Amino acid sequence: MTTRRVLGLAVTTGALVLAGCAPTKTPSPPYQYTPVPLETVGAQPFTVPAGITQIVVDAYGAQGGAVSGGGPAGGLGGRAAATIPVTPGEVLEVRVGGAGTNGTAGSTSAGGFNGGGIGNFCGSSGSPMGAGGGGGGASGVRRAGSDVVVAGGGGGAGAQSNGGAGGAGGGLTGGRVDVESFTGGGGGTQTGGGASGWGDPAGDGTAGQGGPGIGCELVGGGGGGGGGYFGGGGGAGDLAASPCTGGGGGSGFGPSGATFFENGVRAGNGRVVIYY
């Protein structure tokens, strides 16, 4: 029996490698084992192979939606990794977050799978204004219905060319982007969702869910909060020509000893990689 480092986490090897299943070529450190990448957006099962009692999960949240027509970008998804104990034959639920929809004039923007909040819009004098981008969904693994590893999704961008970018997903705590004197949606934390950028509790993030962007009167709408262990708050704005702000990033989660990388590392849809 030996101990190797996978993503900076100690993993005991020997009994974990099944006969006939050892990789033909060992990847460069810190990746000591053949990865099982899961990149299809949605929920999918992962059955623990016989003889395996612990795995390493490396999760990436999805990016928030941008604003079409040269507007600001959505926040990048976060990353979290951890070693978790498992039972041979048990079925884990893997969730790969979807990127938020880009904001366009005249309609709300859907949030990505697994908790991305909607981006909102506002019409003026019968002419619809631009909408904020939808929040990106979180990625991770659930065991027996409970989260064991989560990487937060990025927040959607605020409407208009002078709007705010979305906050980066965690990592441990989601990010927030302010524009001028206007507050962006708050990032999710380990204990609660991010606050709405406009102070409207209807846009606050909640457990697993990013808050919706708030429509900004006369100018457009705020970006949706990113999904996460706790979701980011939705963005908003003020009146007249003020910029609309982006949604906050969602928070990550993991057991004791988990590694929380810097926020905002994943563009596009999320990803989960399992090592055993």
Side-chain angles (χ1 to χ4, degrees), residues 60-64 74-79 137 151-154 167-171 262-268:
Y60 300 75
Q63 184 178 13
L76 298 177
R79 183 183 180 192
E262 64 181 283
N263 290 3
V265 299
R266 177 73 177 177

Side-chain angles (χ1 to χ4, degrees), residues 26-79:
T26 301
S28 299
Y31 303 98
Q32 300 291 346
Y33 305 102
T34 301
V36 181
L38 301 165
E39 298 181 333
T40 301
V41 173
Q44 52 200 289
F46 176 81
T47 302
V48 177
I52 300 303
T53 57
Q54 63 180 4
I55 63 174
V56 173
V57 176
D58 187 12
Y60 300 75
Q63 184 178 13
V67 172
S68 299
L76 298 177
R79 183 183 180 192

Side-chain angles (χ1 to χ4, degrees), residues 13 21 37 61 86 91 118 130 143 206 217:
T13 67
C21 294
V86 292
V91 180
I118 64 170
R143 188 183 190 204
T206 57
E217 187 175 347

